[in-house]
Amino acid sequence: MNLSKLLAEAGISAVQPIRFGSGEFCQLDLSKNNPSLERIDLNDEEQFTAQVFGQLKANGARVGIGGYLEERGLYSRSELFTEDEPRTIHLGIDLWAQAGTAVYAPFKGVVHSFDNRRFHGDYGPVIILEHEEAGLTFYTLYGHLSTMSLHGLYEGKPIRKGEQFASLGAYHENFHWPPHLHFQLIMNMEGFHGDYPGVCKASEKGRYLQNCPNPEFIVMAGIH
């Protein structure tokens, strides 16, 4: 099954409005191989935020994109990820942008579930949408949102394709991350509600790769 082809034929709207030819976005590297991350305290809001947005400024970009299956050492700053085998593999794509930046639905759908996961390193406000397109049922997850994004939500609430339904949260909201969207494609929620792992262990990479395909084609489809 060529998922990207099927969904492209169904039509994909922008998750965030970015103009492809304008240099508005750049790739960001938050992998364990980036030596610049070793020189800062990732639990220091000012240092971490300055690192991310300094890269955007250096590239003349408004949005930083990247992270799918990126192996990251930065999760060691939170007990959420430090198990016997630490979780280090990022399962979504991050779009780093200013707090308050609008988030739009790439497909029509309904609110599957939502939560405010207030634990250091977690999503903070998170919304999961359920979609039915091209004979498929699948889900998109949006993490690190503003608390206002949860106001008025209810499970089953219809969301139109292209509708702004959320915005990016600030550091203290999203929960201790510089402002960004964690965007993840999920084929089976596996019983999760208001949550789904956004980072996995290296030993689990194969299984999660099947259930969380690369969502880059959705993000890039909305770039003009």
Side-chain angles (χ1 to χ4, degrees):
M1 177 181 64
N2 189 327
L3 181 65
S4 61
K5 183 178 180 181
L6 284 174
L7 295 184
E9 290 174 352
I12 303 173
S13 188
V15 176
Q16 288 185 341
I18 309 167
R19 292 177 295 165
F20 185 85
S22 66
E24 283 193 339
F25 75 98
C26 66
Q27 295 288 325
L28 287 192
D29 177 9
L30 292 181
S31 74
K32 67 175 187 178
N33 298 319
N34 184 346
S36 65
L37 297 178
E38 299 176 359
R39 297 193 289 267
I40 64 171
D41 179 358
L42 294 169
N43 280 317
D44 184 296
E45 175 183 359
E46 291 187 2
Q47 288 189 44
F48 196 0
T49 301
Q51 168 68 22
V52 170
F53 287 94
Q55 290 184 60
L56 295 187
K57 184 177 180 180
N59 286 278
R62 184 173 62 85
V63 180
I65 299 176
Y68 181 67
L69 296 188
E70 191 170 64
E71 186 171 5
R72 295 174 170 177
L74 54 82
Y75 296 118
S76 62
R77 71 194 184 104
S78 169
E79 295 180 0
L80 184 67
F81 306 100
T82 53
E83 305 172 20
D84 290 341
E85 179 189 354
R87 292 193 285 146
T88 59
I89 308 297
H90 189 247
L91 297 171
I93 281 187
D94 288 333
L95 292 97
W96 303 85
Q98 294 293 333
T101 297
V103 179
Y104 300 87
F107 311 97
K108 70 178 185 297
V110 299
V111 175
H112 171 272
S113 53
F114 57 94
D115 198 2
N116 190 354
R117 303 193 58 78
R118 297 172 55 82
F119 186 88
H120 178 49
D122 211 328
Y123 290 126
V126 56
I127 299 173
I128 299 168
L129 301 183
E130 180 176 341
H131 311 278
E132 291 187 13
E133 295 282 356
L136 296 172
T137 298
F138 60 97
Y139 307 85
T140 51
L141 180 150
Y142 308 80
H144 309 296
L145 304 174
S146 65
T147 53
M148 284 292 295
S149 300
L150 303 183
H151 290 189
L153 280 192
Y154 57 90
E155 292 181 13
K157 180 179 181 178
I159 303 293
R160 302 184 307 276
K161 180 169 75 172
E163 176 183 350
Q164 179 187 346
F165 68 95
S167 60
L168 302 191
Y171 186 90
H172 67 283
E173 294 178 287
N174 71 26
F175 202 68
H176 300 164
W177 292 91
H180 74 289
L181 174 69
H182 173 93
F183 177 69
Q184 189 166 331
L185 176 61
I186 305 166
M187 304 310 296
N188 185 334
M189 285 298 297
E190 301 179 321
F192 281 91
H193 197 85
D195 187 28
Y196 190 86
V199 183
C200 74
K201 302 173 183 178
S203 63
E204 300 173 329
K205 179 178 175 180
R207 179 175 79 82
Y208 279 104
L209 180 62
Q210 294 299 313
N211 198 43
C212 300
N214 190 347
E216 183 179 36
F217 72 94
I218 299 175
V219 173
M220 298 304 288
I223 297 177
H224 305 288

